[in-house]
């Protein structure tokens, strides 16, 4: 009986620890969108957009109705819609739109995987309605790569560009708390399974990584590429994780592939 009691205590504390680690990591991840502040070092003034009564975001070049393409951008940590548009949209000559997930910034509701997916779908519907003749280009950067891939897997688009992607959210969580390996991934709630979504993506896919990225490595980008049917990889030499869209070489490459 003593042995059984000890084993039960070990199991109980193990479960508490794993559920606790998941809670901590999810709270940290969501805080990057819920509590992020608008940056001041922007290259243009973002235009506020209300996609639905409860869903908002920002965009730029919105009056370019005759543009042959529109970019839907899903940013990484602290890349709320205002920051993404303010810092990156001026590098592109077409409508550039980003959404704040339900439950973040001015978008009401609760933030979870289901509502992140719905945010992406509602953004797409708005873009298709406002730019019916334009090709839709989806860009996912870091944390945003998963939802970008999900959207490309369920909606028609011209191309999907992943910048510093991951296979599922454990690739990010394990950078901080390295416990979510193999079957222990079952403890992750709201897991963004990029590699699983990738199987249903039919459009051309471009995966961008860098040898200078110390957060999401080149080898991880190579592993992720194997989940797609027709992905091409572009690796840069010295771009840090937070500097991809500050690099002229990266921007030139992105503009080249979305033409």
């Amino acid at each position: 009986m003593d042995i059984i009691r000890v084993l039960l205590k070990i199991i109980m504390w193990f479960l508490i620890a794993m559920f606790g680690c998941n809670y901590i990591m999810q709270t940290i991840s969501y805080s990057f969108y819920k509590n992020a502040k608008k940056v001041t070092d922007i290259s243009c003034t973002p235009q506020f957009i209300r996609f639905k009564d409860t869903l908002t975001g920002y965009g730029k070049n919105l009056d370019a109705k005759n543009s042959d393409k529109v970019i839907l951008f899903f940013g990484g940590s602290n890349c709320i819609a205002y920051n993404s548009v303010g810092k990156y949209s001026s590098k592109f000559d077409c409508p550039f739109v980003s959404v704040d997930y339900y439950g973040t910034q001015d978008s009401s509701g609760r933030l979870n995987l289901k509502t992140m997916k719905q945010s992406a779908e509602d953004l797409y519907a708005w873009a298709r309605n406002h730019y019916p003749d334009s090709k839709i280009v989806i860009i996912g950067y870091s944390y945003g790569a998963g939802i970008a891939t999900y959207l490309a897997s369920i909606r028609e688009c011209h191309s999907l560009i992943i910048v510093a992607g991951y296979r599922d959210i454990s690739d990010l969580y394990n950078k901080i708390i390295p416990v979510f390996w193999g079957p222990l991934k079952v403890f992750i709630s709201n897991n963004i399974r990029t590699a699983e979504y990738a199987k249903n993506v039919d459009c051309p896919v471009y995966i961008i990584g860098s040898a200078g990225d110390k957060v999401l490595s080149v080898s991880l980008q190579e592993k992720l590429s194997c989940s797609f049917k027709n992905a091409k990889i572009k690796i840069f030499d010295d771009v840090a994780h937070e500097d991809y869209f500050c690099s002229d070489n990266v921007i030139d490459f992105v503009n080249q592939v979305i033409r």
Side-chain angles (χ1 to χ4, degrees):
M1 290 296 294
D2 289 340
I3 295 176
I4 294 176
R5 196 174 294 115
V6 170
L7 288 175
L8 288 175
K9 285 185 177 180
I10 292 173
I11 293 172
M12 179 188 71
W13 284 111
F14 172 77
L15 293 175
I16 290 174
M18 292 304 299
F19 284 120
C21 288
N22 171 70
Y23 175 79
I24 291 170
M25 290 310 306
Q26 181 172 282
T27 300
I28 292 173
S29 298
Y30 288 0
S31 71
F32 288 133
Y33 295 99
K34 297 171 73 172
N35 302 325
K37 305 300 181 183
K38 295 178 180 177
V39 297
T40 57
D41 57 331
I42 55 177
S43 58
C44 67
T45 302
Q47 298 170 253
F48 180 78
I49 304 173
R50 188 170 295 279
F51 303 110
K52 299 183 71 174
D53 289 343
T54 56
L55 185 67
T56 65
Y58 288 86
K60 193 61 179 174
N61 302 324
L62 301 181
D63 294 332
K65 297 294 184 180
N66 295 325
S67 174
D68 64 342
K69 58 184 172 293
V70 55
I71 294 175
L72 307 186
F73 186 89
F74 296 87
S77 299
N78 291 314
C79 282
I80 53 176
Y82 181 93
N83 296 347
S84 296
V85 173
K87 294 173 69 175
Y88 308 137
S89 65
S90 62
K91 303 173 187 294
F92 305 95
D93 61 358
C94 63
F96 183 107
V97 187
S98 185
V99 67
D100 285 315
Y101 301 120
Y102 286 109
T104 70
Q105 301 299 309
D106 292 321
S107 297
S108 60
R110 183 177 180 182
L111 179 61
N112 54 43
L113 179 57
K114 180 179 179 181
T115 58
M116 282 191 281
K117 289 180 176 180
Q118 190 61 55
S119 301
E121 294 176 39
D122 291 342
L123 170 63
Y124 183 97
W126 181 91
R128 181 51 72 205
N129 181 55
H130 283 74
Y131 304 95
D133 300 321
S134 300
K135 302 171 184 176
I136 291 183
V137 175
I138 300 175
I139 300 179
Y141 177 26
S142 191
Y143 193 97
I147 298 301
T149 303
Y150 164 75
L151 183 59
S153 74
I154 64 165
R155 295 290 186 269
E156 179 183 358
C157 60
H158 175 260
S159 55
L160 169 65
I161 299 172
I162 294 176
V163 181
Y166 54 91
R167 295 165 298 180
D168 63 56
I169 211 69
S170 69
D171 286 332
L172 297 179
Y173 283 7
N174 284 332
K175 292 292 182 179
I176 301 176
I177 305 179
V179 297
F180 299 103
W181 304 102
L184 296 184
K185 292 181 183 181
V186 71
F187 289 99
I188 299 177
S189 58
N190 296 299
N191 193 355
I192 304 176
R193 296 181 171 88
T194 310
E196 184 176 310
Y197 309 146
K199 298 174 184 177
N200 296 317
V201 175
D202 294 321
C203 68
V205 179
Y206 302 90
I207 298 177
I208 297 174
S210 170
D213 189 335
K214 304 304 181 184
V215 179
L216 296 171
S217 66
V218 170
S219 63
L220 182 56
Q221 308 314 305
E222 293 171 343
K223 292 173 183 176
L224 175 60
S225 71
C226 296
S227 301
F228 290 93
K229 301 171 185 175
N230 56 349
K232 297 180 180 179
I233 302 180
K234 176 66 174 180
I235 302 299
F236 293 89
D237 292 329
D238 56 359
V239 181
H241 182 75
E242 64 276 11
D243 291 339
Y244 282 99
F245 289 93
C246 299
S247 166
D248 290 339
N249 290 332
V250 172
I251 297 303
D252 288 345
F253 176 78
V254 173
N255 276 315
Q256 177 183 341
V257 300
I258 67 177
R259 284 175 185 160

